[in-house]
Amino acid sequence: MPVDVFKRFLPRAWSALPFFQQLDELEGIPVINVHLWFDRKLKNIDALCFSRSPLLSVYADMSTCCKEYKDDDRSMLELVFAPCSPAAGSSVNWMSKSNQEIVDATLGELQRLFPLEIGAHLPGGGAQLRKSAVVKVPRSVYAATPGRNKYRPSQETPARNFTLAGDWTSQKFLGSMEGAVLAGKLAAEVVCDRAAGRPTKGVKAVPEHVLEASGGRGAREPAGVNGSTPVAFGGGAVLDPGGSDGVARHP
């Protein structure tokens, strides 16, 4: 789970431990996912692509890359729209923009990236958008601002029989799929070493200033937002202002 959600579920008794208090220095940044369904197959997207766009980080044609979406005649793109807020390095707070504004900006970037397939300048307007979904994740991967690395905890913890995994734990990659996989392997290594009676690598040292600040701080209630919507648990949601209750919903 993301670090912000982990903080919410942290047992109250553990919140007094400096090892877990250092997580206050790790905070997730917003990310937007955009899903686009087109009326025809796009020819130039056959894998996960890193983008040359300042708005689109990575994207993939799910109709080609994922069997659940397989379609030989029409493409369905999933794109990571990031950075999308000043906290993540964007000059525009896209999280406050409407879904249509985000979709329009995404299409504008795709027209620039794929001028032979998407765009009004093409005969018939090129590939046409059938439908779209915008999924906003207020707290996603931790903000990799200068100095954050020292607060990333080891997979081994001071809590007996409790081992951590997650892309925000200590390993050589930043918050990413690669980081999550490596953290999982390192966590499994801790479990295997303990089971076999082998020495582990130990618990990573906590920064000195965290240790000093923890002296007068006792246990506290878990941090986190109220409610039980997907957003409250660190998930993304399509905001549905037209819904009867006005809450965030799954796409």
mmCIF file of all heavy atoms in Angstrom, residues 222-244:
data_model
loop_
_atom_site.group_PDB
_atom_site.id
_atom_site.type_symbol
_atom_site.label_atom_id
_atom_site.label_comp_id
_atom_site.label_asym_id
_atom_site.label_seq_id
_atom_site.Cartn_x
_atom_site.Cartn_y
_atom_site.Cartn_z
ATOM 1 N N PRO A 222 -3.709 6.984 14.377
ATOM 2 C CA PRO A 222 -3.202 6.949 12.996
ATOM 3 C C PRO A 222 -3.648 8.163 12.206
ATOM 4 O O PRO A 222 -4.764 8.661 12.374
ATOM 5 C CB PRO A 222 -3.813 5.671 12.428
ATOM 6 C CG PRO A 222 -4.139 4.837 13.617
ATOM 7 C CD PRO A 222 -4.514 5.808 14.699
ATOM 8 N N ALA A 223 -2.752 8.653 11.361
ATOM 9 C CA ALA A 223 -3.104 9.766 10.481
ATOM 10 C C ALA A 223 -3.891 9.241 9.300
ATOM 11 O O ALA A 223 -3.781 8.085 8.921
ATOM 12 C CB ALA A 223 -1.833 10.458 10.007
ATOM 13 N N GLY A 224 -4.704 10.099 8.691
ATOM 14 C CA GLY A 224 -5.452 9.685 7.514
ATOM 15 C C GLY A 224 -6.757 10.427 7.407
ATOM 16 O O GLY A 224 -7.219 11.060 8.358
ATOM 17 N N VAL A 225 -7.348 10.341 6.234
ATOM 18 C CA VAL A 225 -8.618 11.027 6.000
ATOM 19 C C VAL A 225 -9.765 10.145 6.456
ATOM 20 O O VAL A 225 -9.635 8.925 6.592
ATOM 21 C CB VAL A 225 -8.789 11.391 4.513
ATOM 22 C CG1 VAL A 225 -7.721 12.349 4.073
ATOM 23 C CG2 VAL A 225 -8.758 10.134 3.646
ATOM 24 N N ASN A 226 -10.899 10.761 6.717
ATOM 25 C CA ASN A 226 -12.071 10.029 7.156
ATOM 26 C C ASN A 226 -12.802 9.411 5.972
ATOM 27 O O ASN A 226 -12.606 9.791 4.829
ATOM 28 C CB ASN A 226 -13.029 10.955 7.912
ATOM 29 C CG ASN A 226 -12.425 11.474 9.198
ATOM 30 O OD1 ASN A 226 -11.690 10.760 9.876
ATOM 31 N ND2 ASN A 226 -12.732 12.726 9.531
ATOM 32 N N GLY A 227 -13.683 8.481 6.247
ATOM 33 C CA GLY A 227 -14.510 7.894 5.207
ATOM 34 C C GLY A 227 -13.965 6.573 4.703
ATOM 35 O O GLY A 227 -12.900 6.115 5.107
ATOM 36 N N SER A 228 -14.711 5.953 3.802
ATOM 37 C CA SER A 228 -14.327 4.649 3.270
ATOM 38 C C SER A 228 -14.353 4.623 1.748
ATOM 39 O O SER A 228 -14.529 3.586 1.131
ATOM 40 C CB SER A 228 -15.266 3.566 3.823
ATOM 41 O OG SER A 228 -16.622 3.861 3.485
ATOM 42 N N THR A 229 -14.211 5.787 1.127
ATOM 43 C CA THR A 229 -14.152 5.846 -0.330
ATOM 44 C C THR A 229 -12.791 5.342 -0.802
ATOM 45 O O THR A 229 -11.843 5.247 -0.021
ATOM 46 C CB THR A 229 -14.361 7.292 -0.820
ATOM 47 O OG1 THR A 229 -13.266 8.094 -0.354
ATOM 48 C CG2 THR A 229 -15.664 7.868 -0.299
ATOM 49 N N PRO A 230 -12.631 5.027 -2.100
ATOM 50 C CA PRO A 230 -11.324 4.602 -2.609
ATOM 51 C C PRO A 230 -10.218 5.603 -2.304
ATOM 52 O O PRO A 230 -9.107 5.217 -1.968
ATOM 53 C CB PRO A 230 -11.571 4.477 -4.120
ATOM 54 C CG PRO A 230 -13.014 4.154 -4.238
ATOM 55 C CD PRO A 230 -13.680 4.939 -3.141
ATOM 56 N N VAL A 231 -10.521 6.894 -2.399
ATOM 57 C CA VAL A 231 -9.521 7.926 -2.145
ATOM 58 C C VAL A 231 -9.036 7.863 -0.702
ATOM 59 O O VAL A 231 -7.850 8.042 -0.413
ATOM 60 C CB VAL A 231 -10.089 9.326 -2.462
ATOM 61 C CG1 VAL A 231 -9.152 10.419 -1.970
ATOM 62 C CG2 VAL A 231 -10.304 9.469 -3.962
ATOM 63 N N ALA A 232 -9.940 7.563 0.228
ATOM 64 C CA ALA A 232 -9.570 7.501 1.637
ATOM 65 C C ALA A 232 -8.550 6.408 1.913
ATOM 66 O O ALA A 232 -7.777 6.488 2.850
ATOM 67 C CB ALA A 232 -10.812 7.272 2.496
ATOM 68 N N PHE A 233 -8.536 5.392 1.050
ATOM 69 C CA PHE A 233 -7.613 4.285 1.237
ATOM 70 C C PHE A 233 -6.465 4.330 0.231
ATOM 71 O O PHE A 233 -5.821 3.314 -0.031
ATOM 72 C CB PHE A 233 -8.366 2.958 1.148
ATOM 73 C CG PHE A 233 -9.203 2.685 2.357
ATOM 74 C CD1 PHE A 233 -10.522 3.114 2.412
ATOM 75 C CD2 PHE A 233 -8.674 2.047 3.459
ATOM 76 C CE1 PHE A 233 -11.300 2.883 3.538
ATOM 77 C CE2 PHE A 233 -9.437 1.820 4.591
ATOM 78 C CZ PHE A 233 -10.755 2.239 4.631
ATOM 79 N N GLY A 234 -6.212 5.515 -0.345
ATOM 80 C CA GLY A 234 -5.072 5.666 -1.230
ATOM 81 C C GLY A 234 -5.312 5.248 -2.654
ATOM 82 O O GLY A 234 -4.380 5.167 -3.448
ATOM 83 N N GLY A 235 -6.552 4.957 -3.000
ATOM 84 C CA GLY A 235 -6.850 4.543 -4.363
ATOM 85 C C GLY A 235 -7.251 5.710 -5.243
ATOM 86 O O GLY A 235 -7.463 6.831 -4.778
ATOM 87 N N GLY A 236 -7.350 5.444 -6.527
ATOM 88 C CA GLY A 236 -7.825 6.456 -7.463
ATOM 89 C C GLY A 236 -9.326 6.352 -7.640
ATOM 90 O O GLY A 236 -9.942 5.348 -7.275
ATOM 91 N N ALA A 237 -9.918 7.380 -8.195
ATOM 92 C CA ALA A 237 -11.357 7.368 -8.420
ATOM 93 C C ALA A 237 -11.709 8.326 -9.536
ATOM 94 O O ALA A 237 -11.020 9.316 -9.762
ATOM 95 C CB ALA A 237 -12.112 7.747 -7.150
ATOM 96 N N VAL A 238 -12.766 7.984 -10.238
ATOM 97 C CA VAL A 238 -13.363 8.910 -11.189
ATOM 98 C C VAL A 238 -14.332 9.761 -10.399
ATOM 99 O O VAL A 238 -15.264 9.234 -9.784
ATOM 100 C CB VAL A 238 -14.100 8.164 -12.312
ATOM 101 C CG1 VAL A 238 -14.823 9.163 -13.222
ATOM 102 C CG2 VAL A 238 -13.124 7.342 -13.135
ATOM 103 N N LEU A 239 -14.115 11.069 -10.389
ATOM 104 C CA LEU A 239 -15.012 11.944 -9.639
ATOM 105 C C LEU A 239 -16.310 12.102 -10.411
ATOM 106 O O LEU A 239 -16.308 12.446 -11.595
ATOM 107 C CB LEU A 239 -14.346 13.300 -9.409
ATOM 108 C CG LEU A 239 -13.021 13.236 -8.633
ATOM 109 C CD1 LEU A 239 -12.479 14.628 -8.406
ATOM 110 C CD2 LEU A 239 -13.205 12.514 -7.306
ATOM 111 N N ASP A 240 -17.411 11.824 -9.756
ATOM 112 C CA ASP A 240 -18.718 11.815 -10.408
ATOM 113 C C ASP A 240 -19.621 12.867 -9.776
ATOM 114 O O ASP A 240 -20.418 12.568 -8.903
ATOM 115 C CB ASP A 240 -19.345 10.420 -10.274
ATOM 116 C CG ASP A 240 -20.685 10.314 -10.989
ATOM 117 O OD1 ASP A 240 -21.021 11.231 -11.767
ATOM 118 O OD2 ASP A 240 -21.401 9.324 -10.760
ATOM 119 N N PRO A 241 -19.456 14.133 -10.188
ATOM 120 C CA PRO A 241 -20.256 15.195 -9.571
ATOM 121 C C PRO A 241 -21.746 15.043 -9.822
ATOM 122 O O PRO A 241 -22.560 15.605 -9.124
ATOM 123 C CB PRO A 241 -19.701 16.472 -10.208
ATOM 124 C CG PRO A 241 -19.138 16.018 -11.525
ATOM 125 C CD PRO A 241 -18.594 14.638 -11.262
ATOM 126 N N GLY A 242 -22.091 14.224 -10.833
ATOM 127 C CA GLY A 242 -23.508 14.048 -11.139
ATOM 128 C C GLY A 242 -24.152 12.939 -10.350
ATOM 129 O O GLY A 242 -25.345 12.693 -10.468
ATOM 130 N N GLY A 243 -23.367 12.244 -9.516
ATOM 131 C CA GLY A 243 -23.905 11.156 -8.723
ATOM 132 C C GLY A 243 -24.848 11.645 -7.649
ATOM 133 O O GLY A 243 -24.839 12.806 -7.248
ATOM 134 N N SER A 244 -25.653 10.727 -7.156
ATOM 135 C CA SER A 244 -26.659 11.116 -6.167
ATOM 136 C C SER A 244 -26.044 11.552 -4.865
ATOM 137 O O SER A 244 -26.633 12.340 -4.127
ATOM 138 C CB SER A 244 -27.611 9.930 -5.932
ATOM 139 O OG SER A 244 -26.886 8.799 -5.469
#
